Amino acid sequence: MSDDRLATTPPPPYYAVIFASVRTAHDDEGYARAADRMAQLASEQPGYLGVDSVRDATGVGITVSYWSSEAAIVAWRRNAEHTITREQGRKSWYTQYELRVAKVERAYGFKL
Amino acid sequence: MSDDRLATTPPPPYYAVIFASVRTAHDDEGYARAADRMAQLASEQPGYLGVDSVRDATGVGITVSYWSSEAAIVAWRRNAEHTITREQGRKSWYTQYELRVAKVERAYGFKL
């Protein structure tokens, strides 16, 4: 539903990209601008199903994006603007990250 | 390494439980106590590999726990204390959640 605060995805199977990261203490503005742009650009890609993203006040964040297939993830990874932005991420915005590509096999939800 | 702020996991394949949730506005203390207890208990289960967990100030959170097999996830799900706590979660602590079980196929990391 439109007032949901979490991504709504179709029944499995589909894919998830789990991106856990730790922000540097600088360039919040540049980071926020790039993050917004990447979220917009990702949402326009074929096979994009949705995203959940959280960052806490200590700088640790988890973003999980959902995709219809591995091919869709590979295509997004090869996107030129995305590739340039990832390079900036390693140079300026992250002290550490872990990225995992996973196939979602089961899913269920709860809502009041 | 011990100063890492993100979970360190073995090479894939392994499993991830992606739990995205929205907190109610009440019982922060009871919730925090239960969350700490569940984190401790999970870490003692066979097949537990680690966890990443973030919640922001708006109440949206993502916890990803990592497990060696689906059987380990099923066993943790059946843990009696965990089962009781999940019930409390639906009654008191969450307005919404989505849980996904996924097989991690590829992973890579970056660290300054």
Side-chain angles (χ1 to χ4, degrees):
Chain A
M1 297 186 316
S2 60
D3 65 341
D4 278 5
R5 295 175 66 193
L6 304 177
T8 303
T9 42
Y14 54 87
Y15 279 80
V17 177
I18 306 164
F19 181 71
S21 65
V22 182
R23 278 277 288 119
T24 57
H26 55 263
D27 194 24
D28 278 351
E29 271 186 46
Y31 170 76
R33 203 161 43 230
D36 286 351
R37 172 64 185 152
M38 287 303 105
Q40 176 62 38
L41 197 60
S43 75
E44 297 165 359
Q45 304 305 305
Y48 173 89
L49 299 176
V51 68
D52 290 307
S53 190
V54 179
R55 187 170 304 279
D56 71 19
T58 75
V60 178
I62 300 174
T63 296
V64 189
S65 58
Y66 307 104
W67 301 85
S68 61
S69 69
E70 274 208 272
I73 293 169
V74 170
W76 168 231
R77 184 163 191 269
R78 290 181 180 158
N79 175 284
E81 188 176 342
H82 185 204
T83 299
I84 291 167
T85 303
R86 285 202 307 278
E87 184 63 29
Q88 288 183 285
R90 286 185 290 268
K91 275 191 198 153
S92 304
W93 299 321
Y94 299 119
T95 62
Q96 186 186 1
Y97 65 69
E98 296 289 335
L99 187 145
R100 294 172 175 95
V101 177
K103 184 177 188 179
V104 178
E105 298 180 345
R106 293 186 286 128
Y108 55 89
F110 161 83
K111 194 155 189 276
L112 276 188
Chain B
M1 297 185 318
S2 59
D3 64 341
D4 278 6
R5 295 174 66 192
L6 304 178
T8 303
T9 42
Y14 54 87
Y15 280 81
V17 177
I18 306 164
F19 182 72
S21 65
V22 182
R23 278 277 289 120
T24 57
H26 55 263
D27 193 25
D28 279 350
E29 270 185 47
Y31 170 76
R33 203 162 44 232
D36 286 350
R37 172 64 185 152
M38 287 302 106
Q40 176 63 38
L41 197 60
S43 75
E44 298 166 359
Q45 303 306 305
Y48 173 89
L49 299 177
V51 68
D52 290 307
S53 189
V54 178
R55 188 170 304 281
D56 71 19
T58 75
V60 178
I62 300 175
T63 296
V64 189
S65 57
Y66 307 103
W67 301 85
S68 60
S69 69
E70 275 209 273
I73 293 169
V74 170
W76 169 231
R77 185 163 191 271
R78 289 180 181 159
N79 175 284
E81 188 176 342
H82 185 203
T83 300
I84 291 167
T85 302
R86 285 202 307 278
E87 184 62 31
Q88 288 183 285
R90 285 185 291 270
K91 275 192 198 151
S92 304
W93 299 321
Y94 299 120
T95 62
Q96 185 186 1
Y97 65 70
E98 296 290 334
L99 187 145
R100 295 171 175 95
V101 178
K103 184 178 188 177
V104 178
E105 298 180 346
R106 291 186 287 128
Y108 55 89
F110 161 82
K111 194 155 189 274
L112 275 188

